[in-house]
Amino acid sequence: RGQDPRGVWAWAGLFFAGAIWELVAFGFQPGLTRHSAAHPTISALVDPVFAHAAGRGIGIGVWLAIGWLLLRAGWGVPT
């Protein structure tokens, strides 16, 4: 079964927008280990959440749930 070209372009656009955002934000960092509040990277935004065990657990759960949903949608795995 073929993929809808509009969906492919939408996902590619989201991926490249996120990559550009991350590269630009990283370029404006004052140092490799210091974050910039004016240009935060994704890791700088999620660091406060993942600093606690509960945040890491919820993050892993969300990551696994999204992966399972993508797996079901893409490969037709039965529910």
Side-chain angles (χ1 to χ4, degrees):
R1 93 187 153 178
Q3 298 293 328
D4 181 11
R6 293 175 297 177
V8 172
W9 283 109
W11 280 109
L14 285 172
F15 174 79
F16 285 115
I20 295 299
W21 173 31
E22 191 72 7
L23 285 171
V24 168
F26 183 72
F28 281 106
Q29 296 297 311
L32 290 177
T33 58
R34 292 182 36 214
H35 300 302
S36 167
H39 302 284
T41 59
I42 294 170
S43 61
L45 294 173
V46 298
D47 274 349
V49 175
F50 290 153
H52 306 286
R56 287 190 299 271
I58 292 169
I60 289 171
V62 169
W63 179 66
L64 289 172
I66 290 171
W68 178 249
L69 290 172
L70 290 173
L71 180 70
R72 279 188 25 212
W75 289 348
V77 174
T79 56

